[in-house]
Amino acid sequence: MPQRRAITGRSQEPRARFAEELRLLRQGRGVSLRGVAEAVGWDASQFGKMENGHTLGGPEIVEALDQYYGTTGMLLTLWELAVADPTQFREQYRRYMILEAEAISLWHYAVSAPPGLLQTAGYAREALAVGWLKGPELEQQVEARLGRRQLLDGGAPPPFRVILSEAVLRTSLRDVGAWREQLAHLVEMAERPSITLQVLPFRVGPHGLMNTAVMFLRLPNGRVVAYTENDLRGELVEENASVELLQRRYDAMRDSALSPAESRDFILRTLEEAPCEPSI
């Protein structure tokens, strides 16, 4: 009978485990943060933040560390688990995040902000900072939000339909450059075959979801759930009659939205009208 392996006592929480492995690998190599930076090519403070769990870094830096330490993809795997870990989201989002990862199709209505799956880093950072997040907690939530975008990548992403209220495109960021980047990103994402993006113009007037941002998820068993959200709270809606009512309102609103081609042109015009960075 094979001998049982001893329990290592290492963290089972993906983000903490990733940071722990980085520290252990560097200490095992007997190098300083500065030494790693000189060998790999990033700033030493970045590696310090990653080892302290304040940031996860990006896939490029993690791949470079995998090569440096000879861990043959192990660090990148841990990074992917940390990025996708639902426990890094606040409690009310966690069950929704698990279901979102399982969904075979998604459709969304955005009241005043782009859906998280389509947000850039600049938009996510400014939007989250408005909620009084700052420092490491802010950066963690930005990374968590960006990590969700992996759902739309890969060879067979789930179909994603998005309806943006015109208010989404009229509520700009204070950072002009970040706002233009967000608009350009929406145009780019609208060109993906798996994404259908429409704009609901102001002229449509009142409708059944005018105060409610909602995401619908179709799960592998055919069941549909909804997640509604405002500035104070989010609610996972699973009761069939309530989901059906939200779907009827969504369908009625979709019939009034611009076509995907018209919507893309609308966003492009908004981008053209957006102010540019002031020249120095």
Side-chain angles (χ1 to χ4, degrees):
M1 183 174 181
Q3 184 179 2
R4 293 184 61 183
R5 296 181 60 185
I7 297 175
T8 65
R10 297 182 184 177
S11 174
Q12 300 304 301
E13 194 275 309
R15 190 182 185 97
R17 179 61 180 271
F18 176 67
E20 185 178 26
E21 290 296 337
L22 290 177
R23 291 194 302 271
L24 291 172
L25 286 167
R26 181 177 59 80
Q27 291 167 1
R29 183 68 68 91
V31 295
S32 65
L33 290 171
R34 184 181 298 277
V36 175
E38 291 174 351
V40 178
W42 272 265
D43 188 85
S45 63
Q46 174 76 3
F47 296 112
K49 292 176 182 178
M50 292 171 70
E51 290 189 11
N52 289 329
H54 292 165
T55 182
L56 291 172
E60 297 85 2
I61 190 172
V62 178
E63 288 177 344
L65 287 171
D66 253 330
Q67 184 174 0
Y68 174 67
Y69 289 122
T71 44
T72 61
M74 181 269 287
L75 284 177
L76 187 59
T77 298
L78 289 177
W79 177 84
E80 290 173 345
L81 291 172
V83 167
D85 178 27
T87 64
Q88 65 188 310
F89 294 90
R90 294 181 172 183
E91 182 64 34
Q92 67 266 33
Y93 299 114
R94 290 180 183 175
R95 175 162 164 71
Y96 166 76
M97 289 303 306
I98 293 171
L99 294 175
E100 183 182 82
E102 298 174 353
I104 59 174
S105 65
L106 311 88
W107 54 107
H108 181 83
Y109 171 61
V111 174
S112 58
L117 289 171
L118 299 183
Q119 289 182 13
T120 60
Y123 191 99
R125 183 170 290 103
E126 187 166 319
L128 289 166
V130 171
W132 305 107
L133 291 177
K134 58 183 179 180
E137 184 181 6
L138 172 61
E139 294 308 313
Q140 179 178 345
Q141 291 301 314
V142 169
E143 287 180 354
R145 183 165 295 185
L146 296 182
R148 292 172 56 198
R149 300 194 310 187
Q150 294 184 62
L151 183 69
L152 303 179
D153 296 329
F160 184 31
R161 175 180 291 275
V162 183
I163 300 177
L164 303 178
S165 166
E166 184 176 341
V168 173
L169 305 174
R170 301 301 183 193
T171 308
S172 62
L173 298 175
R174 290 187 295 269
D175 184 330
V176 174
W179 176 237
R180 292 184 62 85
E181 181 184 13
Q182 176 63 67
L183 291 174
H185 182 65
L186 289 175
V187 173
E188 178 185 346
M189 297 300 283
E191 294 173 348
R192 291 192 179 188
S194 62
I195 297 177
T196 303
L197 192 152
Q198 294 177 263
V199 173
L200 187 74
F202 285 145
R203 65 172 182 267
V204 169
H207 56 84
L209 292 174
M210 59 188 299
N211 297 312
T212 305
V214 60
M215 175 77 91
F216 298 94
L217 307 175
R218 185 176 299 280
L219 303 175
N221 61 7
R223 186 166 66 102
V224 175
V225 300
Y227 186 81
T228 61
E229 190 173 31
N230 59 34
D231 287 339
L232 296 178
R233 59 173 299 193
E235 179 182 4
L236 185 64
V237 182
E238 300 185 76
E239 195 267 323
N240 289 338
S242 297
V243 173
E244 177 68 20
L245 176 59
L246 289 169
Q247 283 186 278
R248 288 178 183 175
R249 294 182 177 183
Y250 184 92
D251 289 343
M253 181 183 59
R254 183 182 60 190
D255 292 341
S256 301
L258 300 178
S259 71
E262 292 170 330
S263 297
R264 182 181 180 278
D265 291 342
F266 191 102
I267 300 172
L268 281 171
R269 288 197 302 272
T270 306
L271 177 57
E272 291 170 359
E273 297 165 2
C276 297
E277 292 280 9
S279 58
I280 298 177

